[in-house]
Amino acid sequence: MAAPPKKILVTSALPYVNNVPHLGNVIGSTLSADVYARYSRLRGRETLYICGTDEYGTATETRALEAGVTPQALCDEFHAKHKAIYDWFELSFDYFGRTTTEHQTKIVQDAFLKLRDNGYLEERTTTQPYCEKHEGFLADRFVEGTCPKPGCGYDDARGDQCDKCGNLLDPFELINPRCKMDGATPVPRETAHFFIKLDKLQGKVREFFEKASEEGKWSTNSKAITKAWLDRGLEGRSITRDVKWGVPVPLEGYEKKVIYVWFDAPYGYPSITADFLGEKWKDWWHRGVEGDVHLYQFMGKDNVPFHTVIWPASVIGAEGDKWTKLHTLSTTEYLNYENTKFSKSRGVGVFGDGAKETGVPPSVWRYYLLSNRPETGDTQFEWAGFAAANNNELLANLGNFVNRVVKFVGAKLSGEIPDFSASYTDESFDFKAWIETVQGLLAEYNAEMEGVHLRAGVKKAMEISSQGNLLLQYRLDNASLAASPERTKTVIGLALNLASLLASVFSPYIPSTSESIVRQLNTDLKSIPDKWDPEALKPGHKLGKAEYLFTRIDDKKIAEWRDRFGGTQASRAAEEAAKEALKKKKQEEKDKKKAKKAAKKAAEAEGTPVAEGSTLAVQVGVDVKTVATEDVKQLPIREKPAEK
């Protein structure tokens, strides 16, 4: 008796909630995962596709602070924005959830406590910036000040990085550091945190990696990244933070600490499943021993170590072999935009609703992104290539084939499939060899898809469509129908059955287009077979009304979109930023002049001479004058965390 098919669990990297995704984010995880989930369903497998927004962490707190809203309000707003974008791209999540839920808290805290009980957590003391004014520790990016790097001196550098020179920083390096929330000067203070002993789990993680990467045929880049981490040797890693927005640490004395987002986020996959299925989430995630669930994960390469090293270590340390672990990992390199990087701040590239606003339907966007998927190296989004994919491939190949045969049958045969046989032979065309070619291409398509080679898969689908145009060439017109009616009717019967197959093999990539094809054929979307049945649609079957699948993109639109989403838009954004900077500078100069006049007037009233070039600062509303000095208060650089 054959073994039952594996259950297929598909996840895409949880998009971080504090911004809208660009095309590179879409193809890197959510869209790629959607293609495989759709394919798996059409192969008759029980499939669950889970995703959601990653909502905890310092970045959310910072963005909420800047926007003047609560972190929860910010998450609510951007969760809805993400969902709307993915809905437009026709992503078929079984459930799109979020990590700010009770299930997330319960599952993460349970894992934390089990790791502690199993001896894989230890407490260490570290030194962090502390704000005495609001009595709280500060995450690195909540400390601002002047960049200390030679030649920079940027006044608004963050404690983790300077946006002007790009250097990574330690908050204690900043000159004149200040708390982002209230402007007070932070001081160094010791604080206790929990670290996961990754070094103690390295052997088990390597064993998992070597087995899973071979059996699941991981992508080359994901194997290389994981191997590099393991070869370097794993070290203890902090999993708690002194911030407010996160899963609380479930221990007495740690009430003001939360579990760090990088530890918390991957548990979003099972917690979102629990939000969807209740206690049945364990039917998918607690199947490690049975091995009847295969987990397929999709992400950009930046997320690889968290899914192949850190989260497996957490799961192994907490649960052993109980949990379903990664089977197949598909990662992408970077999708760039017209030979530059996507940049929200500079307005470069297509973000959020930008694709929708062009008026080009989702199928075209999906097809171009997937046929240009950066699987083995970086690729470029180019408007000329985008238009060519629509005009020369979708329209001229697939659209032309389906429209031509459906319209012909509607006009000449009353929209009804004529009598035909796939075994018909004719000296002018080898129908048997043509059918065998289609069967071979279908086998190659399935092989590529099973291997999660999505870019190659869509190419094979288009090659099958090309066979349809080859079949029709010189054999579908009024003259052929009159001179060779049996041959022409065979061409029609085979072509319509091929159109049905094309609807199925293209459905993972361009689902709304496939819906149009089956609507025109007046049939249902069929499963993707191992072998094509060229006589599935029988003589006498009545077709639906012909529809155009695609429309041509004019060259003028290419220039318009390039201008809108590229350099010109970036220039406008830069100009606006420059105006704001100039406005801010003028206001600062105005404030300095006022302060200088007030200081001079106060000094003269007391008979104190004011030296030329000195800077006096007067505390407003208080009868106290203080003189600023040239001395710069520098906080000590933090040492590496030391064990207690």
Side-chain angles (χ1 to χ4, degrees), residues 176-474:
N176 292 331
R178 60 186 181 275
C179 172
K180 183 180 180 69
M181 290 185 280
D182 53 35
T185 301
V187 298
R189 181 172 291 189
E190 289 188 344
T191 181
H193 283 292
F194 278 98
F195 284 64
I196 183 172
K197 300 177 182 178
L198 293 178
D199 53 324
K200 303 296 183 184
L201 290 158
Q202 169 145 348
K204 294 181 179 180
V205 173
R206 184 180 288 277
E207 182 181 340
F208 148 76
F209 161 64
E210 291 176 348
K211 183 175 185 290
S213 62
E214 181 66 26
E215 292 181 353
K217 296 180 172 57
W218 293 10
S219 53
T220 302
N221 51 3
S222 61
K223 288 192 287 188
I225 292 168
T226 305
K227 187 175 184 300
W229 266 62
L230 293 171
D231 288 348
R232 273 198 308 268
L234 303 181
E235 299 177 354
R237 193 176 178 98
S238 172
I239 64 169
T240 57
R241 284 292 185 273
D242 289 296
V243 296
K244 298 178 180 178
W245 189 240
V247 174
V249 175
L251 293 174
E252 186 176 347
Y254 280 79
E255 290 81 4
K256 292 186 177 182
K257 299 179 190 292
V258 301
I259 296 172
Y260 192 23
V261 67
W262 69 255
F263 178 88
D264 145 83
Y267 283 99
Y269 302 125
S271 81
I272 290 169
T273 309
D275 289 333
F276 179 47
L277 298 176
E279 281 302 303
K280 289 186 177 180
W281 72 272
K282 296 175 183 177
D283 293 346
W284 291 88
W285 289 99
H286 282 183
R287 307 297 293 179
V289 176
E290 290 81 359
D292 59 353
V293 175
H294 277 181
L295 172 59
Y296 287 72
Q297 297 195 290
F298 293 80
M299 66 200 66
K301 64 181 179 181
D302 291 347
N303 276 316
V304 168
F306 300 103
H307 291 77
T308 64
V309 176
I310 297 171
W311 195 39
S314 303
V315 168
I316 292 169
E319 302 281 1
D321 293 330
K322 180 179 178 181
W323 273 61
T324 300
K325 290 185 279 294
L326 175 62
H327 175 71
T328 296
L329 178 62
S330 179
T331 57
T332 58
E333 301 289 327
Y334 296 124
L335 176 72
N336 295 313
Y337 178 84
E338 294 273 355
N339 296 308
T340 188
K341 292 182 178 180
F342 286 86
S343 172
K344 183 69 173 176
S345 62
R346 293 187 295 116
V348 176
V350 182
F351 284 77
D353 292 333
K356 180 180 179 181
E357 291 167 0
T358 63
V360 178
S363 280
V364 179
W365 288 94
R366 288 175 62 109
Y367 176 80
Y368 176 69
L369 290 173
L370 289 158
S371 61
N372 202 31
R373 186 175 184 250
E375 293 182 351
T376 57
D378 294 353
T379 58
Q380 298 289 333
F381 177 92
E382 296 176 329
W383 287 110
F386 177 76
N390 177 81
N391 297 343
N392 303 338
E393 297 171 32
L394 291 172
L395 177 60
N397 189 334
L398 178 62
N400 175 69
F401 167 66
V402 174
N403 185 255
R404 185 178 173 190
V405 66
V406 173
K407 284 185 71 175
F408 188 87
V409 173
K412 305 301 178 182
L413 298 170
S414 302
E416 189 173 293
I417 299 179
D419 288 333
F420 78 99
S421 171
S423 61
Y424 172 79
T425 58
D426 186 87
E427 292 180 357
S428 65
F429 187 76
D430 192 340
F431 287 98
K432 181 180 179 182
W434 180 85
I435 292 172
E436 289 175 350
T437 298
V438 172
Q439 301 288 18
L441 289 171
L442 175 61
E444 291 172 11
Y445 167 87
N446 280 325
E448 298 291 7
M449 297 299 284
E450 296 293 353
V452 200
H453 305 140
L454 306 184
R455 186 172 175 175
V458 75
K459 182 179 179 182
K460 288 297 174 186
M462 194 58 78
E463 287 180 25
I464 296 174
S465 178
S466 296
Q467 287 298 312
N469 284 297
L470 175 64
L471 177 66
L472 300 187
Q473 191 173 19
Y474 311 124

Side-chain angles (χ1 to χ4, degrees), residues 5-6 8 36-47 442-443 445-447 449-450 504-505 508 526-531:
K6 301 287 184 182
I8 304 299
Y36 189 77
R38 287 178 179 274
Y39 172 77
S40 180
R41 295 182 192 118
L42 285 171
R43 293 288 280 171
R45 297 163 188 159
E46 186 178 2
T47 302
L442 175 61
Y445 167 87
N446 280 325
M449 297 299 284
E450 296 293 353
S504 297
V505 298
K526 303 296 191 293
S527 61
I528 297 174
D530 289 322
K531 187 176 182 180

Side-chain angles (χ1 to χ4, degrees), residues 21-58:
H22 58 65
L23 297 180
N25 304 136
V26 172
I27 186 59
S29 56
T30 51
L31 178 55
S32 296
D34 180 65
V35 172
Y36 189 77
R38 287 178 179 274
Y39 172 77
S40 180
R41 295 182 192 118
L42 285 171
R43 293 288 280 171
R45 297 163 188 159
E46 186 178 2
T47 302
L48 181 67
Y49 179 19
I50 291 294
C51 189
T53 41
D54 175 10
E55 301 189 355
Y56 284 129
T58 306

